[in-house]
Amino acid sequence: MHKIFNSKLIGLVIKRLSKVEVDKRTSNQHELNGNRDLRKLLGDIRINNQSVKFTYHDRDGSEISTTGSITWYDAREAHPSRTEYRLYFKSNYVMDNANQGDLLIVSLQSDGEINIIIIQEGGKLEENLLSLFGPLERIGTTFKYRSV
């Protein structure tokens, strides 16, 4: 297992960040749209202000971490037949420095800990993840689930 993951890891989702998720000139939403794969990881129960570790890995291998919080919720929970899950995060150094095309990984550990990892596009770490996820060009802007 790669050093950014540990033995308590039970699953993760991976995607590339899109412009609307990170470009401060076009959006200030601080939300990621959930899909079936993110729901598979986090479930259907609301998570309110859970503390998570945000980590940014740049092209040169440097790492910056901070603690922040997330809320996972169904924006249409009052609707009888529709769901629309979202992962809300508060502004923090890691997410404020993420760019379109960077990899985003949300991981869940057996103790319930959630980690959010950003890997800068074009770096060595991104190349190393090929062994775990297959060709990176197949990773698009929607979450893909991987169990461990």
Side-chain angles (χ1 to χ4, degrees):
M1 194 173 318
H2 195 277
K3 70 176 185 166
I4 63 172
F5 307 117
N6 66 39
S7 62
K8 296 189 289 185
L9 182 68
I10 58 173
L12 57 87
V13 291
I14 187 169
K15 73 185 287 304
R16 289 215 181 266
L17 289 167
S18 66
K19 184 177 183 175
V20 70
E21 293 167 326
V22 294
D23 188 340
K24 287 99 183 140
R25 295 173 304 216
T26 59
S27 176
N28 194 22
Q29 66 182 9
H30 298 270
E31 279 187 331
L32 303 167
N33 286 326
N35 67 356
R36 180 177 23 126
D37 285 11
L38 187 55
R39 282 178 69 190
K40 191 173 189 177
L41 182 72
L42 298 179
D44 292 333
I45 298 171
R46 178 187 272 269
I47 298 170
N48 284 316
N49 294 317
Q50 180 168 334
S51 179
V52 300
K53 181 179 177 183
F54 289 84
T55 307
Y56 184 84
H57 295 269
D58 70 14
R59 285 186 190 95
D60 301 323
S62 296
E63 176 183 313
I64 298 168
S65 294
T66 190
T67 302
S69 66
I70 60 161
T71 297
W72 169 245
Y73 69 103
D74 180 1
R76 298 193 183 270
E77 62 192 358
H79 195 282
S81 61
R82 292 185 59 199
T83 61
E84 189 177 310
Y85 281 86
R86 296 185 182 158
L87 183 63
Y88 173 82
F89 56 91
K90 293 183 179 175
S91 181
N92 64 66
Y93 183 81
V94 169
M95 295 306 292
D96 291 348
N97 284 285
N99 292 296
Q100 178 181 358
D102 289 348
L103 289 176
L104 169 73
I105 298 170
V106 180
S107 68
L108 177 64
Q109 298 181 146
S110 57
D111 60 4
E113 184 177 323
I114 297 171
N115 293 291
I116 297 181
I117 303 162
I118 303 291
I119 299 170
Q120 189 176 26
E121 184 177 25
K124 198 69 166 164
L125 182 54
E126 183 186 49
E127 286 180 32
N128 292 339
L129 290 173
L130 286 171
S131 63
L132 295 174
F133 299 111
L136 290 174
E137 62 269 8
R138 289 191 194 159
I139 297 173
T141 57
T142 58
F143 288 107
K144 301 291 183 206
Y145 178 80
R146 301 287 189 270
S147 63
V148 179

